[in-house]
Every structure is written in structure tokens, then in C-alpha cells.
């Protein structure tokens, strides 16, 4: 009885945030990998389900799972202002201390130790769940006037925290845990804590991409439910965007696999014995829409294998293709809207399934093999038309990419997808292993209004720019549309940094507010409606194409152009919703 009570009490105590931060300090204090894993696994096994899923996220330097759209979006200035409001330190002192430590976590620890505001309520011990809940509320607070509400929520957290807890809260908000842990360690600790094979933990992690879900499944001995098996759809690997061949070559510095970007719909083909299924981008079963593909799939075989029946999962694109040319995406959409696939429609809009990846073959999960090996395996499989292997080339130069881009456009495709030959298949993740290169939607000219200091190689230079366009309906007031840090050379950044210092209006230490004078030409992937900026829009994957020294703030683009480009995208959006 007493034992039972003790274990309930200890489970309750270990969910306290103070325990979590002490664990972090212990991990930070040892260089031994074994000790780190031991501390971690002991701690994880003491947690209840809800706290476990939060703890593994925090320990992996995340607040929300990978791929989640939520983000706390709290900048340095909000943290500094909040700290000065509740401590005995004014904003100037806070800035000085920050410059001395160069670390926001240490600053928060110091400031909270000098706290003068006494919470009106009794000091409540923070728990993993209460911290996560507060972070969620901060992330959900959006809109133009959300700053104050976010600060109040943050204040509530700080008021209930000890100096050490404040240090970790700040590190987490900034995504800078830096306690010498990688997600890999957390996986090892999960495997040890719940006595599950590390290989299976890693496989489930590759498939789900979310350490919270994996830890919970491990705890319940249910990891097998996350494994890749035919007829169970797998989340798709997604592509990132770049805008020029130069940027791609510069980034990778190695030969890449280059394929056409087919303008169709993503589909996963599953075959198990005589059963075939196609799943859409949203993982719904769309087999009935593709009868000719399903019957061709039955004739897929592997000449080198003695098995008469092969089982597999493929990734690829369904396109409409007639007389040697792809049809327009809208034709494909028209066919997909039909309830019954008649013979007539299969003739009018014939389909091809272009295969570009393999996820599973005859009992073996392929996702951890490098792409070059997956491609070799694909080349050994014999497909029956209209299922075909994607055409591919190896490119290693800007000219090579440019030539294939032109070829792709001439053939009626959308552009290119360039792939790192060493990359694994990461289900559900968007990353720089696959890069799409499309014709740019358009570019906009915007003016820099805020510049922040960069990190790493760019420390000391003003390399992150917040830019604005004008709003013709409010006297040409400037409205922020986005933030970009890629596209310029180091030389250009140095020049801009010098110029920005001469037009500075306010210096916040880590960023400067400037007179709107420097005009940038910005390329981007798409425009989204967003509460993040006061223009009501945000650019997706913005990239600086040029510094427009020939232009002044009078020449920048205005909101109607943004709206026009936004409307042009409707067609693309409808495509992604298939
Ligand atoms: P987007 O929809 O613009 O984000 O571009 C990514 C999409 O391009 C993928 O989800 C696929 O549907 C499509 N795609 C077309 N061709 C390829 C290819 N060769 N490799 C990967 N994805 C491709």
C-alpha cells in the first residue's frame, strides 16, 4: 500500500518542471553518453503518458512535433521586455546583461533571480503539462495585436518559475536547448526505458517522424503498429524549394539525381499478392479512380527474383498523358471528379503512373537505404505500361540543371526535382533532400524595415531582413510581408550591413529598425494569408534575388499586386487538395 502510494507520489513529482530542468543540468554536466542515456531513460520511465510525450519533445529541442504548424513565435525583444517588467532590471540593464552573457537563457536566469513582482496568486509549481499548455496558448495567440497577450502569457510562466526554470523556458522558446543531446539519444533512452529494440524504435521514428508518438507506442509495446507494410499508407516525403540552379549547386556541392517535376497528383502504389491499392497525397484510397493503373500493377515483377508475386510500396505521380505529351492538370482533375471511370474517359484522359521511389519490397523496408540504392532497385523491377520508371539524370553543374529545366518545360512538365543521392526516405518530412525547382510565380520588390544579426558564419552581420510593401488604401503605409535571410553572398551582406547602420532608427541590440531605403527583389514559392504580419499575407520560402539599387521606396510593390499573385495561386492550391 505504502509502496503504491510512493510510486504515485514519485510519478507526480517527476512530472514537475523543476525535475525536468534538474535532469537537463545533470545531462549537461556529463560528457559520458552512457550516463546521459541512463539519466534520460530512468527519468522517462518515471513519467505518465501525457508528461512523457511532452518531455521527449522538450528533450529533442522541440515544443511541437516536427511538421506541426504551431510555433510560439516569441522573439528576443518580447522576452527582454517581459523580463524587465517583472524584475528589478530596466530595459537598458537587461540589454547590457544580454551583451555580457550573449545568451538569452543565462539572462533570464539572472533576471528572475532579481524578480520583484510577487505573483498575486500563490506560486504554483510548474509541471511539464502546464508549461506545454502555456506554450500552446502562446502559439494559438495570433493576430496583429497578439504581442501583448503573448507577453502576458509568458509573464505568467516566468512569475511561477525559479531562475533555473526560467533559463530553460527561454532556451526552449528560442529552440536552443544545447544540453548535448540529439534526437538520437532520446531514441536510445526510449528504447532502454521501455525495453524495446532500438532498431524498431528508429524504424517507427522514421515512419512517424514524431518522438512523442513513438515514445508512447514504445511505452505500450505497440511500436509494430507504426511499421511500413503494404496496404498501409505511409506519409509522403516532401520537397523543399530553391529558386536558381546556382543556389542548388552552391548548397549541395555534389552530383544530384535530377528528375522532371511532373504536373500530376502524388500517389502511392501498394501491391501485396494480388491486391493493389493507390493512395492519394492525403492517404485516402483512390484505387477506383485508376482502374488501368491497378490492372497494370498486377503485372509488376522482379526478373531477378524467384518469387512469382512481388509485394511492394512505390511513390510516384499520376499524370494525364496523351500523344506523347502531358495533358493539363485540369484534365486530370476533370477525370478525378467523375464518379464512374468510363471507357470513354480513359481514352480521353489516359493516365501514366511515373514511379520515382520505392518504400518497401518483398518484406524489406527500403526507407533507410540511400536514394541511389533505391533507384538501382527500382531499375531492376519490370513495370507494365502505363506504369513507368521516372526519367533521371545526374547533374553536377548549373548548366546541367538549366539544360534539363528547359528540356522539362519543353516537354510540358513543371520544372525539376533534384534529389540528394545519399538521402534516406523521410516519411512526412519536408527537407532539403528533395528540392523542387519551378518557374517562379513572380517576384516582388519590397523594402527592408528591420534587420537582425545572423548566427554562426553570419554572426556580427545584419543578415536577416524583415521587409514591407506599401498599402495604397492607407496612404502608402508600409506593411510587413515577410522575412528572408537567403540568397545574398557574404560580400553583399557586408555591404548591406554597412548601409543599414547608416540608416538605423533604433538599435535593439540583436536587431535594428531602419529607415525604409534598401529595396530587395524577393522570389518566393507562394503567398499565404497570415496573421503573422500586418499586411495579412506571408511569403512562403522567400529568397532575395537581387538588391535593387536602381529602386527607391517609391518603386516598391503594393498590396494589390500581392493579392493578384495570391489569386493566381488558386489553381495550384486546388491541385494540392486532391
Ligand atoms: P509542390 O506540390 O509544389 O510542393 O511540389 C512537390 C510535389 O511535386 C510532390 O508532392 C509531388 O507530387 C510532385 N512531383 C512531381 N514530380 C516529382 C518528382 N520527380 N519527385 C518528387 N516529387 C515530384
Amino acid at each position: 500500500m505504502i509502496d503504491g502510494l510512493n510510486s504515485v507520489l514519485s510519478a507526480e513529482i517527476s512530472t514537475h518542471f523543476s525535475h525536468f530542468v534538474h535532469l537537463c543540468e545533470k545531462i549537461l554536466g556529463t560528457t559520458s553518453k552512457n550516463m546521459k542515456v541512463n539519466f534520460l531513460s530512468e527519468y522517462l520511465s518515471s513519467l505518465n503518458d501525457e508528461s512523457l510525450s511532452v518531455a521527449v519533445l522538450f528533450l529533442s529541442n522541440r515544443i511541437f512535433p516536427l511538421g506541426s504548424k504551431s510555433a510560439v513565435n516569441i522573439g528576443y525583444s518580447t522576452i527582454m521586455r517581459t523580463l524587465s517588467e517583472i524584475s528589478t532590471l530596466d530595459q537598458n540593464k537587461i540589454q547590457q546583461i544580454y551583451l555580457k552573457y550573449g545568451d538569452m537563457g543565462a539572462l533570464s536566469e539572472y533576471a528572475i533571480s532579481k524578480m520583484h513582482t510577487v505573483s498575486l496568486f500563490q506560486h504554483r509549481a510548474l509541471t511539464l503539462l502546464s508549461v506545454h499548455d502555456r506554450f500552446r496558448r502562446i502559439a494559438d495567440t495570433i493576430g496583429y495585436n497578439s504581442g501583448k497577450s503573448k507577453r502576458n502569457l509568458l509573464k505568467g510562466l516566468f512569475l511561477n518559475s525559479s531562475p533555473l526554470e526560467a533559463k530553460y523556458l527561454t532556451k526552449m522558446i528560442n529552440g536552443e536547448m544545447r544540453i548535448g543531446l540529439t534526437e538520437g539519444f532520446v531514441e536510445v533512452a526510449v528504447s532502454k526505458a521501455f525495453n524495446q529494440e532500438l532498431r524498431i524504435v528508429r524504424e517507427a521514428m522514421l515512419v512517424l517522424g514524431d518522438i512523442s508518438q513513438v515514445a508512447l507506442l514504445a511505452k505500450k509495446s505497440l511500436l509494430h503498429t507504426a511499421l511500413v507494410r503494404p496496404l498501409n499508407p505511409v506519409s509522403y516525403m516532401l520537397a523543399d524549394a530553391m529558386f536558381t540552379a546556382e543556389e542548388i549547386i552552391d548548397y549541395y556541392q555534389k552530383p544530384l539525381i535530377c528528375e522532371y517535376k511532373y504536373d500530376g497528383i502524388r500517389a502511392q502504389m501498394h501491391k501485396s499478392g494480388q491486391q493493389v491499392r493507390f493512395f492519394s497525397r492525403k492517404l485516402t484510397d483512390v484505387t477506383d479512380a485508376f482502374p488501368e493503373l491497378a490492372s497494370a500493377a498486377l503485372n509488376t515483377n522482379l526478373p531477378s527474383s524467384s518469387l512469382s508475386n512481388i509485394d511492394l510500396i512505390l511513390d510516384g505521380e499520376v499524370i494525364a498523358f496523351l500523344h506523347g505529351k502531358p495533358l493539363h492538370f485540369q484534365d486530370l482533375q476533370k477525370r478525378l471528379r467523375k464518379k464512374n471511370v468510363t471507357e470513354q474517359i480513359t481514352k480521353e484522359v489516359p493516365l501514366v503512373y511515373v514511379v520515382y521511389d520505392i518504400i518497401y519490397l518483398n518484406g524489406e523496408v527500403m526507407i533507410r537505404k540511400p536514394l541511389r540504392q533505391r533507384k538501382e532497385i527500382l531499375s531492376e523491377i519490370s513495370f507494365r505500361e502505363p506504369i513507368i520508371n521516372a526519367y533521371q539524370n545526374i547533374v553536377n553543374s548549373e548548366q546541367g540543371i538549366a539544360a534539363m529545366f528547359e528540356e522539362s518545360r519543353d516537354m510540358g512538365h513543371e520544372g525539376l526535382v533534384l534529389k540528394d543521392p545519399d538521402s534516406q526516405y523521410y516519411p512526412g518530412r519536408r527537407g532539403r533532400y528533395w528540392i523542387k525547382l519551378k518557374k517562379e510565380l513572380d517576384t516582388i520588390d519590397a523594402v527592408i524595415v528591420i534587420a537582425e544579426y545572423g548566427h554562426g558564419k553570419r554572426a556580427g552581420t545584419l543578415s536577416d531582413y524583415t521587409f514591407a510593401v506599401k498599402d495604397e488604401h492607407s496612404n502608402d503605409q508600409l506593411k510587413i510581408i515577410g522575412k528572408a535571410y537567403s540568397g545574398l553572398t557574404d560580400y553583399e551582406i557586408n555591404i548591406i550591413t554597412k548601409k543599414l547602420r547608416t540608416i538605423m532608427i533604433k538599435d535593439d541590440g540583436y536587431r535594428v529598425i531602419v529607415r525604409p531605403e534598401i529595396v530587395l527583389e524577393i522570389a518566393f514559392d507562394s503567398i499565404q494569408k497570415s496573421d503573422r504580419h500586418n499586411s495579412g499575407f506571408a511569403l512562403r520560402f522567400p529568397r532575395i534575388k537581387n538588391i535593387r539599387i536602381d529602386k527607391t521606396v517609391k518603386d516598391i510593390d503594393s498590396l494589390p499586386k500581392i493579392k493578384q499573385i495570391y489569386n493566381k495561386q488558386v489553381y495550384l492550391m486546388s491541385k494540392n487538395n486532391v
Side-chain angles (χ1 to χ4, degrees):
M1 175 69 188
I2 297 282
D3 267 5
L5 188 63
N6 276 345
S7 70
V8 169
L9 283 178
S10 79
E12 229 167 63
I13 289 170
S14 52
T15 63
H16 283 184
F17 191 58
S18 61
H19 272 232
F20 174 81
V21 302
H22 281 117
L23 169 82
C24 293
E25 291 282 290
K26 265 165 71 179
I27 292 171
L28 190 61
T30 175
T31 49
S32 155
K33 286 187 184 171
N34 274 343
M35 299 247 298
K36 284 184 199 277
V37 169
N38 285 345
F39 290 150
L40 268 176
S41 61
E42 202 179 305
Y43 174 71
L44 296 181
S45 58
S46 75
L47 297 175
N48 58 26
D49 290 2
E50 285 172 308
S51 304
L52 172 66
S53 58
V54 172
V56 285
L57 273 180
F58 287 175
L59 288 163
S60 311
N61 198 20
R62 297 184 195 290
I63 292 180
F64 303 108
L66 188 79
S68 155
K69 290 213 172 91
S70 299
V72 287
N73 275 332
I74 286 187
Y76 282 15
S77 61
T78 305
I79 297 174
M80 286 183 172
R81 199 163 151 193
T82 311
L83 289 174
S84 97
E85 280 171 15
I86 57 175
S87 72
T88 51
L89 311 168
D90 64 23
Q91 292 247 36
N92 275 341
K93 187 78 185 147
I94 292 267
Q95 291 232 357
Q96 280 168 19
I97 297 166
Y98 171 64
L99 290 177
K100 181 171 150 209
Y101 288 115
D103 178 82
M104 287 298 280
L107 165 69
S108 302
E109 185 175 15
Y110 181 82
I112 295 301
S113 74
K114 304 277 172 216
M115 190 152 71
H116 64 74
T117 313
V118 180
S119 180
L120 287 178
F121 307 100
Q122 207 185 353
H123 182 92
R124 295 236 306 272
L126 294 175
T127 62
L128 286 164
L129 289 185
S130 66
V131 170
H132 195 262
D133 179 57
R134 196 50 78 113
F135 281 150
R136 156 116 7 247
R137 284 168 61 194
I138 292 176
D140 289 345
T141 306
I142 47 173
Y144 186 43
N145 267 329
S146 57
K148 188 159 177 234
S149 319
K150 282 190 181 226
R151 265 201 324 280
N152 282 338
L153 287 163
L154 183 62
K155 212 183 272 181
L157 266 179
F158 280 152
L159 284 174
N160 279 312
S161 69
S162 68
L164 194 61
E165 287 175 327
K167 168 174 149 185
Y168 278 94
L169 288 172
T170 302
K171 279 160 152 290
M172 279 155 45
I173 289 170
N174 293 333
E176 293 170 348
M177 278 290 273
R178 297 212 189 105
I179 51 168
L181 277 189
T182 58
E183 209 157 54
F185 272 111
V186 183
E187 288 167 15
V188 176
V190 165
S191 121
K192 190 161 181 215
F194 305 114
N195 215 1
Q196 302 287 315
E197 236 183 291
L198 180 59
R199 186 180 60 85
I200 306 285
V201 172
R202 294 216 160 118
E203 189 173 326
M205 190 59 203
L206 273 178
V207 176
L208 297 173
D210 173 7
I211 188 74
S212 291
Q213 284 187 58
V214 170
L216 282 178
L217 290 178
K219 185 175 179 204
K220 295 175 182 162
S221 294
L222 283 174
L223 283 171
H224 58 275
T225 58
L227 304 184
V228 175
R229 298 290 172 264
L231 311 183
N232 258 346
V234 180
S235 302
Y236 286 97
M237 177 158 172
L238 302 167
D240 211 334
M242 286 191 191
F243 298 91
T244 62
E246 184 191 358
E247 189 181 359
I248 295 172
I249 292 294
D250 224 44
Y251 182 78
Y252 288 99
Q253 314 254 346
K254 66 174 177 185
L256 297 171
I257 293 176
C258 185
E259 295 167 358
Y260 298 143
K261 186 171 190 301
Y262 301 96
D263 194 7
I265 63 159
R266 189 88 180 256
Q268 220 167 76
M269 180 183 125
H270 289 234
K271 178 176 178 297
S272 174
Q274 293 300 302
Q275 289 191 76
V276 172
R277 297 267 182 288
F278 281 86
F279 294 99
S280 73
R281 188 176 172 123
K282 288 183 168 170
L283 307 184
T284 45
D285 187 336
V286 286
T287 320
D288 289 346
F290 311 135
E292 64 270 58
L293 299 181
S295 72
L298 287 171
N299 292 307
T300 312
N301 55 62
L302 186 63
S304 61
S305 155
S306 54
L307 295 171
S308 57
N309 233 323
I310 68 167
D311 293 351
L312 38 67
I313 305 177
L314 303 172
D315 187 4
E317 197 86 357
V318 175
I319 55 172
F321 200 82
L322 187 63
H323 307 314
K325 279 240 162 211
L327 292 174
H328 203 273
F329 177 72
Q330 275 147 2
D331 294 315
L332 177 58
Q333 255 189 333
K334 195 174 83 190
R335 169 167 168 172
L336 291 173
R337 275 197 296 267
K338 297 258 189 277
K339 280 228 170 66
N340 291 324
V341 185
T342 57
E343 210 169 308
Q344 191 190 347
I345 190 91
T346 53
K347 281 200 183 114
E348 276 170 23
V349 188
L351 302 182
V352 171
Y353 181 54
V354 191
V355 180
Y356 41 75
D357 220 316
I358 180 154
I359 294 171
Y360 176 98
L361 177 65
N362 286 341
E364 204 187 339
V365 178
M366 302 276 138
I367 57 180
R368 252 178 281 154
K369 294 186 192 298
L371 177 61
R372 71 173 89 244
Q373 205 179 334
R374 302 202 301 276
K375 286 289 190 185
E376 267 165 36
I377 294 166
L378 272 177
S379 71
E380 286 164 17
I381 298 176
S382 126
F383 296 111
R384 163 82 57 95
E385 282 192 14
I387 299 177
I388 58 167
N389 244 323
Y391 171 70
Q392 70 178 68
N393 231 330
I394 303 294
V395 292
N396 198 12
S397 67
E398 280 176 46
Q399 293 80 354
I401 295 180
M404 193 152 157
F405 189 88
E406 284 315 308
E407 192 181 287
S408 159
R409 304 286 297 188
D410 286 349
M411 293 178 70
H413 302 303
E414 233 189 330
L416 299 177
V417 184
L418 292 113
K419 301 182 177 178
D420 180 347
D422 301 311
S423 61
Q424 302 180 10
Y425 189 99
Y426 294 105
R429 287 200 220 171
R430 189 181 296 284
R432 291 202 147 181
Y433 303 106
W434 291 7
I435 298 294
K436 56 190 170 183
L437 185 66
K438 299 195 276 196
K439 266 258 177 300
E440 281 152 18
L441 205 52
D442 211 332
T443 60
I444 57 156
D445 293 329
V447 69
I448 302 181
V449 287
I450 300 172
E452 277 175 50
Y453 284 97
H455 301 283
K457 166 169 139 214
R458 296 194 159 168
T461 59
L462 288 162
S463 60
D464 295 14
Y465 312 113
T466 301
F467 43 83
V469 293
K470 56 189 175 190
D471 182 0
E472 288 179 340
H473 296 302
S474 66
N475 248 344
D476 279 358
Q477 254 184 27
L478 294 177
K479 296 279 168 75
I480 293 175
I481 177 98
K483 197 171 163 182
Y485 52 86
S486 80
L488 293 183
T489 62
D490 292 346
Y491 175 72
E492 288 170 320
I493 291 172
N494 283 334
I495 298 209
I496 290 214
T497 301
K498 279 194 196 131
K499 172 77 184 159
L500 286 166
R501 290 202 174 114
T502 66
I503 56 172
M504 184 163 77
I505 303 173
K506 184 163 175 269
D507 186 353
D508 285 338
Y510 68 100
R511 67 169 198 180
V512 295
I513 298 178
V514 293
R515 281 202 308 273
E517 287 187 15
I518 303 179
V519 177
L520 301 175
E521 182 183 352
I522 314 276
F524 50 89
D525 192 28
S526 61
I527 294 181
Q528 295 169 329
K529 287 206 166 153
S530 161
D531 291 335
R532 202 170 347 137
H533 306 305
N534 61 357
S535 64
F537 291 97
L539 302 183
R540 195 156 165 249
F541 300 122
R543 178 187 174 282
I544 305 159
K545 233 184 140 190
N546 280 307
I547 309 169
R548 297 302 301 253
I549 40 173
D550 54 324
K551 293 195 169 177
T552 72
V553 66
K554 287 202 192 103
D555 306 313
I556 61 172
D557 283 315
S558 55
L559 272 179
K561 170 157 175 192
I562 305 294
K563 286 178 192 153
Q564 198 186 1
I565 302 175
Y566 174 80
N567 290 335
K568 249 206 263 174
Q569 290 170 179
V570 172
Y571 150 70
L572 287 173
M573 309 271 275
S574 67
K575 184 183 155 195
N576 282 344
N577 280 333
V578 178

